[in-house]
């Protein structure tokens, strides 16, 4: 039996593709079948991108691109049409031209990855609903046209196709796995284990079918918007997309707004010419310095908001800085003019990939980020992959939603009541309790609403530890806004100020940073706005 790999789902959704999948699974051992595959490469014309309903690969016999066309078809003077179930006719693309274009794109893509000389590539078109195929023109040779009957003896049909194209291959097992890894990558992230909540933390976060489908769709498009609530894996997907673009030969920029997240992304991807990560404003300052543009050391809010993107455009023009692809994480933090400035960095790159990952519910800065912008591709992630179910329920209650998490059990979130707004000693008491439970600087973060309380706490010690900033040796104390985009096994969220209208957004961000243990310190009067009492 063939080895079958379905990108996005184990079974095709379309009935026509499901019939083809069932047939291809019956191919002998040695064959590999990939369903719903797409790839991209740097190119001057459209031929660099490709996608296929199926690819079938054999280490000695070669590779075939299969295009599937369900239902009935008509060809009138070279024009392809299909009739839907309502009797209405529609123009469709010539499937043989589609298969040919994808084949040539795949040949170039394989050559880019050092495999072009080791495998010959052919193509065929499958009509799984048609018992007999009429003459469809010179491109539709019988040897590369599969009917419903051919699927009953798919081995013979494939052999006929291989002979037509004189296909062959010389692929070692490592070459086969390289092709699979490039076309059907597996992406995962493993959180740190801790004894106090080990059962919850021990679950390896592997992409769900929803996320695999999203990643597959990302690879088939050169730009788009991916939205999702806190914990749905946006940053993991953003990093995976940026890394894949770099592997495909694109000079890629992965950019965010938050300083701490920028450091985290930069450390995660490492050093490399093909992939750069950091914050938008660090990029502005770096390019300005390279271009010799003087930037005042005293920069007010207006400079950061309005002048920085202009400086970036000017500097990149002088430096001739050009990226082939850009991935924006936490896109809701960006103003429209910041995104426009980034797009200017792809000047001269035809249809440069430009992806934005965002959560409108985490729009703390209110910079006018516009969800209604016309993106060529929009995908929504709905499943919470970060938080245990008890935390996911608390987070979703704030925004009036239903928790669609992994269902992983964990400790119930704790509310520690304070007398009015939370004070320093309230936080110290909460942290002392977690220290007694076995937590420490490596798996515990304190998040405050105000920078003032965070600074005061950093001047204190608690037991054998001191409080400090994220990345220091002490127990990290940060504001919610600075920690956005990051996470920790345990979070102490401090409600230390008046509950303003944006307080729900801040609480939503802060609570969702906790993977398995959440402690909220605040006045009980703050519970109703967070729907805490209803849980």
């Amino acid at each position: 039996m063939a080895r079958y790999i379905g990108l996005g789902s184990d079974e095709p959704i379309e009935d026509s593709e499901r019939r083809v999948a069932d047939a291809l699974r019956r191919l002998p051992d040695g064959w590999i079948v990939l369903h719903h595959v797409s790839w991209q490469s740097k190119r001057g014309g459209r031929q660099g991108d490709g996608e296929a309903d199926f690819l079938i690969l054999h280490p000695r016999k070669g590779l075939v691109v299969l295009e599937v066309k369900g239902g009935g078809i008509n060809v009138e003077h070279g024009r392809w049409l299909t009739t839907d179930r309502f009797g209405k006719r529609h123009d469709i693309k010539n499937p043989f031209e589609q298969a040919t274009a994808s084949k040539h794109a795949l040949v170039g893509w394989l050559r880019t990855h050092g495999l072009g000389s080791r495998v010959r590539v052919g193509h065929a078109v499958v009509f799984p609903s048609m018992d007999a195929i009429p003459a469809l023109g010179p491109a539709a040779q019988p040897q590369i046209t599969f009917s419903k009957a051919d699927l009953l003896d798919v081995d013979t049909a494939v052999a006929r196709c291989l002979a037509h194209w004189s296909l062959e291959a010389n692929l070692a097992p490592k070459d086969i796995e390289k092709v699979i890894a490039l076309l059907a990558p597996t992406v995962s992230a493993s959180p740190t284990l801790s004894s106090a909540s080990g059962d919850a933390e021990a679950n390896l976060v592997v992409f769900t079918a929803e996320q695999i489908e999203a990643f597959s769709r990302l690879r088939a498009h050169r730009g788009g918007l991916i939205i999702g609530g806190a914990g749905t894996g946006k940053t993991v997907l953003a990093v995976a997309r940026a890394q894949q673009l770099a592997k495909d030969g694109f000079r890629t920029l992965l950019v965010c707004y938050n300083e701490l997240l920028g450091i985290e992304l930069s450390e995660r991807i490492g050093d490399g010419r093909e992939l750069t990560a950091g914050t938008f404003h660090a990029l502005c300052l770096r390019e300005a310095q390279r271009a010799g543009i003087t930037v005042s050391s005293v920069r007010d809010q207006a400079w950061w908001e309005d002048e920085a993107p202009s400086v970036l455009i000017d500097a990149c023009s002088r430096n001739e800085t050009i990226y082939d692809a850009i991935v924006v994480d936490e896109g809701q933090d960006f103003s429209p003019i910041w995104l426009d400035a980034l797009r200017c960095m792809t000047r001269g790159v035809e249809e440069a990939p430009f992806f934005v990952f965002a959560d409108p519910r985490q729009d703390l800065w209110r910079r006018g980020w516009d969800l209604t912008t016309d993106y060529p591709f929009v995908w929504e992630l709905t499943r919470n992959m970060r938080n245990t179910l008890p935390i996911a329920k608390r987070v979703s209650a704030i925004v009036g939603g239903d928790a669609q998490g992994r269902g992983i059990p964990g400790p119930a979130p704790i509310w520690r009541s304070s007398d009015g707004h939370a004070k320093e000693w309230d936080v110290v008491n909460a942290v002392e309790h977690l220290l007694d439970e076995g937590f420490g600087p490596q798996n515990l973060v304190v998040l405050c609403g105000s920078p003032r309380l965070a600074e005061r706490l950093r001047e204190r010690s608690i037991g054998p530890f001191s409080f400090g900033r994220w990345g220091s040796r002490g127990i990290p104390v940060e504001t919610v806004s600075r920690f956005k985009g990051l996470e920790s096994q345990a979070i102490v969220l401090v409600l230390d100020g008046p509950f303003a209208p944006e307080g729900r957004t801040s609480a939503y961000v802060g609570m969702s940073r906790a993977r398995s243990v959440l402690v909220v310190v605040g006045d009980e009067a703050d519970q109703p706005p967070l729907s805490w009492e209803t849980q």
Side-chain angles (χ1 to χ4, degrees), residues 128-164:
S129 300
M130 300 182 64
D131 293 312
I133 311 296
L136 299 174
Q141 295 295 312
Q143 296 91 335
I144 59 172
T145 306
F146 296 1
S147 67
K148 181 179 179 180
D150 287 320
L151 294 181
L152 298 177
D153 187 8
V154 69
D155 200 5
T156 299
V158 169
R160 190 177 71 219
C161 175
L162 297 176
H164 175 79

Side-chain angles (χ1 to χ4, degrees), residues 429-440 444 490-492 517 519:
N429 289 337
V431 172
E432 284 180 339
H433 175 73
L434 290 179
L435 293 179
D436 291 341
E437 293 293 324
F439 285 89
L444 169 63
I491 290 288
V492 175
V517 173
V519 178

Side-chain angles (χ1 to χ4, degrees), residues 53-242:
D53 294 323
F54 291 92
L55 290 182
I56 57 174
L57 171 66
H58 193 282
R60 295 291 175 264
K61 299 179 180 180
L63 194 159
V64 180
V65 175
L66 291 179
E67 183 72 22
V68 178
K69 284 299 175 187
I73 52 95
N74 295 287
V75 180
E76 297 179 358
H77 305 293
R79 175 185 170 197
W80 284 69
L81 306 103
T82 187
T83 304
D84 64 23
R85 58 194 179 97
F86 300 106
K88 188 175 181 179
R89 302 212 302 173
H90 305 273
D91 286 320
I92 60 172
K93 295 180 180 179
N94 183 327
F96 290 91
E97 292 180 357
Q98 287 180 277
T100 301
S102 291
K103 176 180 70 174
H104 290 311
L106 185 58
V107 169
W109 185 85
L110 290 168
R111 188 180 300 117
T112 299
H113 292 282
L115 297 168
S117 63
R118 300 188 182 185
V119 57
R120 291 177 57 86
V121 183
H123 71 269
V125 178
V126 187
F127 300 91
S129 300
M130 300 182 64
D131 293 312
I133 311 296
L136 299 174
Q141 295 295 312
Q143 296 91 335
I144 59 172
T145 306
F146 296 1
S147 67
K148 181 179 179 180
D150 287 320
L151 294 181
L152 298 177
D153 187 8
V154 69
D155 200 5
T156 299
V158 169
R160 190 177 71 219
C161 175
L162 297 176
H164 175 79
W165 295 115
S166 301
L167 298 188
E168 60 182 10
N170 183 25
L171 295 171
K174 66 177 182 179
D175 298 324
I176 293 292
E177 295 307 316
K178 180 178 180 179
V179 172
I180 294 172
L182 289 168
L183 290 174
T186 298
V187 188
S188 63
S190 180
T192 305
L193 295 175
S194 172
S195 59
S197 54
D199 289 343
E201 289 286 306
N203 288 276
L204 182 67
V205 182
V206 180
F207 275 10
T208 63
E210 175 188 62
Q211 291 170 313
I212 294 172
E213 176 71 8
F215 189 72
S216 176
R217 286 177 179 265
L218 289 173
R219 297 192 70 185
H221 292 77
R222 287 192 164 249
L225 170 66
I226 299 84
I227 60 175
T232 52
K234 297 182 300 300
T235 295
V236 177
L237 269 175
V239 171
R241 186 66 190 114

Side-chain angles (χ1 to χ4, degrees), residues 392-466:
K393 287 182 176 180
R394 288 294 181 192
V395 172
S396 63
I398 298 175
V399 293
D402 295 326
Q404 296 188 43
R406 292 171 292 162
I408 294 176
I414 299 170
W415 187 288
R416 293 182 65 95
S417 296
S418 58
D419 185 9
H421 306 313
K423 310 295 190 301
E424 289 178 58
W425 56 83
D426 297 312
V427 181
V428 170
N429 289 337
V431 172
E432 284 180 339
H433 175 73
L434 290 179
L435 293 179
D436 291 341
E437 293 293 324
F439 285 89
Q442 76 279 3
N443 53 18
L444 169 63
V445 175
V446 177
L447 297 182
C448 303
S450 69
R452 182 180 178 185
L453 178 59
E455 289 296 339
R456 290 204 307 267
L457 284 169
R458 291 178 190 140
E459 296 173 356
R460 301 185 61 129
S461 295
I462 179 170
F465 306 111
S466 62

Side-chain angles (χ1 to χ4, degrees), residues 201-500:
E201 289 286 306
N203 288 276
L204 182 67
V205 182
V206 180
F207 275 10
T208 63
E210 175 188 62
Q211 291 170 313
I212 294 172
E213 176 71 8
F215 189 72
S216 176
R217 286 177 179 265
L218 289 173
R219 297 192 70 185
H221 292 77
R222 287 192 164 249
L225 170 66
I226 299 84
I227 60 175
T232 52
K234 297 182 300 300
T235 295
V236 177
L237 269 175
V239 171
R241 186 66 190 114
Q243 290 175 328
Q244 189 63 52
L245 285 165
K247 287 180 182 178
D248 288 342
F250 293 84
R251 186 173 182 236
T252 304
L253 173 65
L254 173 60
V255 63
C256 65
Y257 165 69
N258 234 28
E259 178 185 6
L260 297 182
L261 178 59
I263 295 172
E264 179 86 4
L265 293 177
S266 182
E267 291 177 349
R268 189 180 301 187
I269 68 168
D271 297 325
R273 184 183 179 281
E274 294 300 318
L275 179 55
T276 302
T279 68
F280 176 76
H281 288 112
L283 175 69
C284 295
L285 294 174
R286 183 174 68 247
E287 290 296 328
Q289 183 180 36
R290 287 185 59 222
I293 298 174
T294 301
V295 176
S296 172
S297 59
V298 180
R299 296 181 283 272
D300 58 13
Q301 190 66 20
W303 189 92
W304 295 111
E305 296 288 342
D306 302 321
E307 294 184 40
S310 297
V311 169
L312 178 63
I313 294 173
D314 186 15
C316 288
S317 177
R318 298 188 193 186
N319 298 333
E320 297 184 349
T321 302
I322 295 177
Y323 285 93
D324 302 315
I326 293 179
V327 178
V328 179
D329 192 25
E330 300 288 342
Q332 75 283 344
D333 294 342
F334 284 65
S335 72
I337 60 173
W338 296 7
L339 295 175
D340 289 342
L342 290 173
R343 289 188 177 95
C344 288
M345 301 182 72
T346 62
R347 288 191 310 271
V349 181
E350 183 181 351
E351 297 181 59
F354 193 98
F355 295 94
V356 177
F357 294 76
D359 180 2
R361 291 168 172 169
Q362 295 188 57
D363 188 4
L364 288 174
W365 304 108
R366 301 288 190 265
R367 293 193 172 101
W369 177 75
D370 188 4
L371 182 61
T372 63
T373 300
D374 186 20
Y375 290 93
F377 160 77
V378 179
W379 185 265
E380 183 176 7
L381 298 170
T382 59
R383 188 168 296 279
N384 186 319
M385 296 295 294
R386 176 193 299 143
N387 312 125
T388 57
L389 185 58
I391 296 175
K393 287 182 176 180
R394 288 294 181 192
V395 172
S396 63
I398 298 175
V399 293
D402 295 326
Q404 296 188 43
R406 292 171 292 162
I408 294 176
I414 299 170
W415 187 288
R416 293 182 65 95
S417 296
S418 58
D419 185 9
H421 306 313
K423 310 295 190 301
E424 289 178 58
W425 56 83
D426 297 312
V427 181
V428 170
N429 289 337
V431 172
E432 284 180 339
H433 175 73
L434 290 179
L435 293 179
D436 291 341
E437 293 293 324
F439 285 89
Q442 76 279 3
N443 53 18
L444 169 63
V445 175
V446 177
L447 297 182
C448 303
S450 69
R452 182 180 178 185
L453 178 59
E455 289 296 339
R456 290 204 307 267
L457 284 169
R458 291 178 190 140
E459 296 173 356
R460 301 185 61 129
S461 295
I462 179 170
F465 306 111
S466 62
F467 287 112
R469 292 182 176 273
W470 175 253
S472 69
R473 293 184 178 181
I475 297 172
V477 179
E478 291 292 348
T479 61
V480 171
S481 58
R482 271 178 55 83
F483 201 70
K484 188 165 65 63
L486 302 177
E487 62 187 57
S488 176
Q489 182 176 340
I491 290 288
V492 175
L493 175 64
V494 186
L495 306 181
D496 54 316
F499 203 89

